[in-house]
Amino acid sequence: MTRLLGLDVGDKTIGVAVSDELGWTAQGVETIKRQSKEKDFARLQELIAQYQVGAIVVGLPKNMNGTIGPRAELCQSFGKLLQEKTSLPVHMWDERLTTMAAERMLISADVSRQKRKTVIDKMAATLILQGYMDAKSR
């Protein structure tokens, strides 16, 4: 079994999470501040090599009615480009409400608003990846 990389792709940041070798648990790794496609993909390549990733899960922010909107289309394009650049399988995973769930978890843990801003995307990536792994293990 190889590790999975989970991504919460936004306009300004990319939340990153990685699975354990057995594919049971997801851990947040970092939040990449987006600079350019080249720099973003270079950092992702470094993380893929560091964690010996075998596949990638990208959050797909569908509309609440299940349709694909402009934001989801951007994530699909990002996923396709990532697959081309890495030659790794890229799986799109419905991420509706993961950022809100991450926010609620951080608030309930009494994390300050400033600290929440720095970890919310990494936490959302963790929830995306964990949801994907949980569904695949059923």
Side-chain angles (χ1 to χ4, degrees):
M1 179 88 190
T2 60
R3 290 180 189 248
L4 298 171
L5 190 74
L7 302 176
D8 179 37
V9 180
D11 292 328
K12 296 178 183 173
T13 61
I14 301 172
V16 182
V18 69
S19 73
D20 64 330
E21 287 94 348
L22 298 174
W24 291 352
T25 62
Q27 298 89 26
V29 174
E30 70 178 74
T31 300
I32 298 170
K33 297 264 188 257
R34 299 202 64 181
Q35 298 173 17
S36 68
K37 280 186 181 174
E38 295 77 26
K39 288 183 180 181
D40 298 345
F41 284 113
R43 181 62 188 140
L44 289 170
Q45 290 278 26
E46 290 171 2
L47 292 168
I48 288 165
Q50 178 182 346
Y51 290 100
Q52 300 172 335
V53 169
I56 302 167
V57 178
V58 177
L60 183 65
K62 291 183 178 179
N63 295 322
M64 290 310 291
N65 65 3
T67 60
I68 303 291
R71 179 85 229 138
E73 288 174 356
L74 288 171
C75 289
Q76 286 176 321
S77 296
F78 184 89
K80 281 183 188 168
L81 191 56
L82 191 57
Q83 189 163 13
E84 290 169 13
K85 289 190 175 289
T86 63
S87 300
L88 292 173
V90 174
H91 308 282
M92 303 306 292
W93 186 251
D94 185 355
E95 68 153 285
R96 281 178 279 186
L97 303 179
T98 54
T99 301
M100 282 197 283
E103 180 89 15
R104 278 195 299 267
M105 289 170 71
L106 292 168
I107 289 170
S108 70
D110 203 27
V111 176
S112 73
R113 183 180 307 248
Q114 187 59 39
K115 180 73 173 162
R116 282 196 310 263
K117 283 183 184 180
T118 65
V119 299
I120 191 79
D121 297 316
K122 177 172 60 172
M123 183 86 151
T126 304
L127 292 173
I128 289 165
L129 183 55
Q130 191 66 56
Y132 175 85
M133 293 186 305
D134 290 349
K136 295 301 172 191
S137 70
R138 288 189 197 117

